[in-house]
Amino acid sequence: MKLAPQSVPYRALQKVSGIVVILFFVVNNNPDWGFAVAAGVAGAVVLAAVGYEVAYYRRFDYELTDDTLDISSGVISRREREIPYRRIQNVDVSRSVIQRAIGVAAVDLETAGGSSTEGSIRFVTPDEATRLQREVQRRKAAGSAGSARAGDEDAGRAGSGAGTGAGVGADRVGPDEEELFAISPGELALVGALSFDGRLIGLLAFLSSGSVPVLSSFIPDASAVALTATAIVGVGGLFLVSWVLGAGVAFTNYYGFRLSRAGDELRYERGLFRRYSGSIPTEKVQALRIADNPAKRALGYASLSIETAGYAPGQGGEQGSQAAVPIATTDRVYRLAREVESFGDPQFNRPPKRIRWRYAFRYAIVVGVLVAIAFGIEWFLGAGLPWYAPAALLLAVPPAAHLKWRHRGYWLGEDHLLTRNGFWSRTVTVVPYYRIQNVIDARTVFQRRWDVATIVADTAGGGSIAGSDAAAVDFATDEAVDLRETLRERLRIAVAEHRDRRDRFEWFDGDAEGADPVDEQTGEADEPTSDTNDGERSDDGGESGESGERDEDRSDTPDDGVIRPDFSGSDRDYSEPAERIDTGDYAVDRNPSDVGGTSESGDGDEDNDSSDDEKAEDADDDEK
Amino acid sequence: MTTQTLHPRVQVVWVLRAVLIAAVVTAPFAGAVYFDRLPEWVPIAVGAVLLSLGVAHALLRYRRWSYEIREDALYLDRGVVTQVRTTVPLVRIQHVDSRRGPVERGVGLASCVVYTAGSRGADVRIPGLTPEGASDLREELKRLAIRADGEDAV
């Protein structure tokens, strides 16, 4: 598949616009060079850029094969990349205002590895972007239906999702979308109101600090009162502007936010000027985070973010949770979170009450340090100030310690670990046992004195980098050790369940006749299953003569009421027996529908021809 | 497998490191003495305190360090100031390295690094192994990880 032709001029202009602006300034500063020279240089640069982009366009090719997405790209140094569908974490589509005007969209595919976006397709038409998104999901669902999620509800849901997928999948539409969340105008206004961009204040304060001496020289005879008033108004104005800007950014970012579920996948959409849309497979969700603060709690609101392993640490915090629900009423947030991970009704265990003393001591020490600093300043200046004033904060220590204790906790659900931490920004983290990568039990010197420990359940989620792991902090040592061992045990069980489910699915797949499930299953459970998830290969593994009946069975619910997932990893037609072709090196099965594939390989030849032309152009480029 | 401790010679590596850190931190003080800014005893005291703390930490660290391979997980117990006990389920092991740094080569030791997909405890390093011990541990962990037959869940 090729990129959209419009992308050539767009990419070219995107690349050289900076150079053109620099040239403009150069011409302005050196009038004697004349406009003609500048125009000539700019024209040459644009031509070179267009030439390069044409080559890029001709060279860039992507293809959806049976189990990988192949991207070949690069003008001077070439790259062929194959991304297995089941390794894809997220598929994101974004369109800025200009991109929307000329009808192109950028597609980004993320996998868990690597430090940057693994598959970046710039640019295709919006329809093609949507098709790619849907197609990747469909092929992935077909390829990895065997490795369904842990938990009974999840299994049921996955089954029904795959069932609808099989039913509708024939006409390449995919499962129906079910809307989970759409932001209401009131919530959007609230998001805007609560967004305050502090960066601007910092910038303006930095700039104005330099300009104060300059300004004060302009107003030498102004009274101190007037100056103070101006300063207050100025600072007030600064805050107002920051707030309006922050609100504007949040408003444009989250305008029209909606989250929906389609089969085994979550889809989101948002943005006023730059539209973002993307998909997150539910089986790739690593953790959920529900955050609130005292203001939000008082009003009954919270926010939710969904974590995957797709975004690398260096890619910025904003991107890490593309599908974050910025704000919604608390019960709505929990309902939504349970749609994604059904974790039941949490009853948090709090740390032992004695730990409040630890927090009280800690805060008292902070207050003591403040008093000492105040005393030092007073001693240094000798101004007779009440240096003991910060000691009044001691009154706030007991409630602060109590609140800190009150908002900590953990809960062991049936399939999930929930932890809760923080008063000012309280975060509830939901981690499925199956997603735990390792368990860390840490005790500092001070924690040992109180006989408590912290247990961290580490996942592959991107947010953990920011230090917001699922941590049960300050629990009695024996309770913490129990928790650590419980987590290890539950992980083991969850992995065993997954493997069991995977093997069972493989068995259904391998033997379509399905004479006696129980015996066969136990018989095959111990077999090595290294290639179970390779949908296409396991389809070939089945006897091709029976595959026709299997296809018919799949399209609607069987009599026994068991909905079997759709295993067809490809669009192959299995209605007739495959023909064995000897290629010389090895024998392959060729199905009737594959015969069309030879004409495709003919296309491939043409591509090869054209790429030869490109090689020539590349040579030209290199000479330049 | 019972609880394993590290090779005693790893203390040499850690003590050397403590000496190096003490030297680096003491150097500015010594410089200040050279320019007559500080009395002579300051760098000596700083150096002595840092050195004794560093050496004590290194020795305690060796005594605290232990690891164990159990049925389904690798356990590590370490840390002097903050005691850390890490449980690495064998099903979650991504790959295992054995490696030898220049200092380790000097004292004839090696270490083994276990990688998981986790973001925080992504790599767990077991220092103070003999070169054969490190490759044996690597092979053993590889074998156990393959037998555990897990998916990485990412």
Side-chain angles (χ1 to χ4, degrees):
Chain A
M1 305 283 282
K2 285 284 176 191
L3 298 175
Q6 305 95 295
S7 68
V8 174
Y10 179 69
R11 282 178 60 97
L13 287 176
Q14 213 183 12
K15 244 179 210 158
V16 299
S17 54
I19 299 172
V20 170
V21 169
I22 291 169
L23 277 178
F24 174 78
F25 278 106
V26 168
V27 169
N28 265 1
N29 291 338
N30 305 287
D32 44 322
W33 279 17
F35 180 74
V37 176
V41 172
V45 168
V46 169
L47 270 183
V50 169
Y52 178 85
E53 292 306 336
V54 168
Y56 181 88
Y57 169 79
R58 298 186 62 157
R59 180 67 196 141
F60 197 99
D61 194 26
Y62 62 91
E63 192 187 350
L64 293 151
T65 67
D66 287 334
D67 40 29
T68 57
L69 171 68
D70 298 357
I71 300 175
S72 58
S73 64
V75 174
I76 292 165
S77 69
R78 300 196 167 169
R79 185 170 67 189
E80 314 273 330
R81 179 170 269 180
E82 296 183 11
I83 307 175
Y85 293 127
R86 54 184 301 269
R87 290 291 173 201
I88 294 176
Q89 301 269 347
N90 315 40
V91 184
D92 295 320
V93 177
S94 71
R95 308 167 62 195
S96 68
V97 179
I98 301 170
Q99 289 166 5
R100 274 199 282 178
I102 63 171
V104 293
V107 182
D108 288 317
L109 300 119
E110 306 276 355
T111 70
S115 57
S116 60
T117 301
E118 278 75 22
S120 169
I121 301 176
R122 294 201 152 55
F123 297 90
V124 292
T125 58
D127 291 345
E128 174 64 12
T130 315
R131 192 190 75 90
L132 257 175
Q133 225 173 8
R134 303 286 177 267
E135 198 65 0
V136 165
Q137 189 234 345
R138 199 180 66 80
R139 284 165 192 249
K140 178 159 62 184
S144 68
S147 57
R149 306 278 339 280
D152 290 332
E153 290 104 320
D154 284 340
R157 216 163 54 206
S160 59
T164 43
V168 195
D171 51 318
R172 287 172 153 240
V173 176
D176 294 331
E177 276 194 17
E178 168 205 354
E179 185 168 282
L180 297 178
F181 178 82
I183 200 162
S184 67
E187 284 163 340
L188 187 60
L190 205 57
V191 173
L194 291 177
S195 303
F196 180 82
D197 200 343
R199 282 172 296 182
L200 184 81
I201 290 202
L203 184 70
L204 285 186
F206 175 74
L207 290 179
S208 57
S209 68
S211 62
V212 164
V214 184
L215 284 177
S216 54
S217 69
F218 279 112
I219 37 172
D221 51 349
S223 68
V225 176
L227 270 180
T228 317
T230 321
I232 290 172
V233 170
V235 167
L238 211 62
F239 270 87
L240 194 68
V241 169
S242 293
W243 182 67
V244 167
L245 273 183
V249 168
F251 182 81
T252 52
N253 262 342
Y254 288 111
Y255 177 83
F257 180 92
R258 63 189 279 278
L259 189 70
S260 57
R261 172 196 287 283
D264 284 349
E265 191 181 56
L266 297 168
R267 288 177 189 162
Y268 69 86
E269 241 176 88
R270 64 181 174 85
L272 178 62
F273 299 122
R274 187 184 256 283
R275 281 302 276 180
Y276 296 92
S277 66
S279 58
I280 302 170
T282 44
E283 69 166 57
K284 298 290 186 195
V285 173
Q286 297 286 332
L288 299 177
R289 241 166 253 288
I290 300 163
D292 55 23
N293 55 37
K296 282 185 187 172
R297 277 203 292 279
L299 296 169
Y301 284 94
S303 53
L304 168 76
S305 58
I306 298 166
E307 238 171 61
T308 66
Y311 300 102
Q315 272 174 282
E318 278 175 50
Q319 269 200 317
S321 50
Q322 294 267 25
V325 173
I327 203 164
T329 53
T330 307
D331 55 336
R332 212 167 155 206
V333 162
Y334 272 94
R335 214 168 47 230
L336 194 56
R338 287 199 188 93
E339 279 283 328
V340 181
E341 291 285 346
S342 51
F343 54 81
D345 197 22
Q347 309 286 329
F348 286 99
N349 302 328
R350 293 209 175 95
K353 284 188 175 171
R354 61 192 161 86
I355 211 66
R356 285 181 294 186
W357 283 103
R358 184 181 173 218
Y359 301 143
F361 279 128
R362 192 191 286 175
Y363 294 138
I365 288 170
V366 171
V367 172
V369 168
L370 284 178
V371 171
I373 290 172
F375 178 75
I377 292 172
E378 141 69 19
W379 176 76
F380 191 73
L381 297 177
L385 293 167
W387 53 268
Y388 41 82
L393 285 172
L394 279 174
L395 289 176
V397 164
H402 177 74
L403 285 173
K404 192 171 183 72
W405 165 80
R406 213 183 128 75
H407 288 97
R408 282 212 196 285
Y410 77 92
W411 181 66
L412 289 165
E414 196 178 326
D415 294 310
H416 303 83
L417 165 73
L418 274 75
T419 64
R420 182 178 64 179
N421 283 302
F423 168 73
W424 291 111
S425 93
R426 185 174 73 171
T427 311
V428 174
T429 311
V430 182
V431 176
Y433 296 133
Y434 181 63
R435 302 287 160 185
I436 294 175
Q437 292 288 340
N438 48 51
V439 183
I440 301 163
D441 165 348
R443 303 162 197 178
T444 64
V445 174
F446 306 107
Q447 280 183 314
R448 287 206 293 281
R449 179 183 296 235
W450 289 95
D451 192 27
V452 292
T454 295
I455 302 288
V456 179
D458 190 17
T459 63
S464 309
I465 307 287
S468 49
D469 301 280
V473 184
D474 288 340
F475 284 87
T477 308
D478 33 355
E479 191 182 356
V481 170
D482 278 352
L483 176 61
R484 189 181 76 199
E485 293 305 311
T486 311
L487 288 178
R488 184 186 56 81
E489 186 58 23
R490 302 240 172 142
L491 166 65
R492 198 183 60 75
I493 294 168
V495 170
E497 274 175 8
H498 262 247
R499 191 179 305 146
D500 191 34
R501 184 165 298 125
R502 189 182 68 181
D503 291 353
R504 197 160 64 228
F505 274 118
E506 189 209 16
W507 169 79
F508 273 129
D509 186 33
D511 186 355
E513 296 293 64
D516 190 355
V518 185
D519 289 346
E520 286 289 329
Q521 182 196 336
T522 48
E524 295 215 347
D526 293 330
E527 282 196 5
T529 53
S530 56
D531 58 351
T532 47
N533 296 298
D534 188 336
E536 202 237 319
R537 207 186 310 174
S538 43
D539 266 339
D540 283 349
E543 282 305 311
S544 38
E546 291 145 13
S547 52
E549 295 157 32
R550 203 151 39 115
D551 269 349
E552 283 164 20
D553 278 347
R554 209 183 283 147
S555 54
D556 42 0
T557 313
D559 294 337
D560 57 3
V562 180
I563 300 164
R564 292 182 178 82
D566 177 19
F567 287 108
S568 62
S570 67
D571 299 316
R572 281 197 177 165
D573 174 16
Y574 291 105
S575 55
E576 280 178 58
E579 181 187 350
R580 185 140 293 204
I581 309 266
D582 197 348
T583 60
D585 294 322
Y586 48 87
V588 293
D589 280 348
R590 191 170 75 177
N591 286 288
S593 60
D594 291 349
V595 181
T598 45
S599 70
E600 275 176 36
S601 71
D603 291 341
D605 288 342
E606 281 169 30
D607 284 350
N608 287 344
D609 291 344
S610 60
S611 67
D612 283 343
D613 295 346
E614 281 154 27
K615 273 174 203 156
E617 282 179 29
D618 292 350
D620 291 347
D621 275 348
D622 289 345
E623 280 166 27
K624 280 173 202 163
Chain B
M1 192 173 182
T2 51
T3 308
Q4 306 280 310
T5 52
L6 305 184
H7 194 283
R9 228 180 301 152
V10 74
Q11 296 171 88
V12 177
V13 180
W14 288 339
V15 167
L16 276 178
R17 189 181 299 163
V19 170
L20 194 71
I21 290 172
V24 167
V25 176
T26 315
F29 291 96
V33 169
Y34 184 77
F35 292 108
D36 290 332
R37 297 284 170 141
L38 282 176
E40 237 173 57
W41 58 267
V42 171
I44 298 171
V46 168
V49 168
L50 283 175
L51 200 62
S52 52
L53 280 179
V55 170
H57 184 261
L59 300 182
L60 285 173
R61 191 173 169 198
Y62 166 72
R63 289 173 60 165
R64 276 279 307 149
W65 237 108
S66 68
Y67 68 94
E68 185 182 354
I69 302 175
R70 284 189 220 164
E71 190 189 354
D72 59 346
L74 169 67
Y75 284 76
L76 301 122
D77 188 351
R78 63 199 194 280
V80 178
V81 180
T82 299
Q83 297 181 350
V84 181
R85 293 169 179 81
T86 310
T87 310
V88 184
L90 297 175
V91 287
R92 290 290 182 253
I93 292 177
Q94 297 275 328
H95 64 278
V96 190
D97 281 354
S98 58
R99 61 165 80 161
R100 305 187 70 189
V103 182
E104 285 177 323
R105 275 205 297 274
V107 296
L109 289 178
S111 45
C112 190
V113 189
V114 180
Y115 294 87
T116 68
S119 49
R120 183 162 148 157
D123 48 338
V124 178
R125 187 185 179 119
I126 305 173
L129 303 163
T130 59
E132 303 80 51
S135 14
D136 287 352
L137 185 62
R138 191 192 65 215
E139 290 302 313
E140 173 77 2
L141 286 173
K142 184 195 81 179
R143 196 179 60 75
L144 289 170
I146 291 171
R147 200 191 66 183
D149 181 34
E151 292 186 12
D152 47 13
V154 294

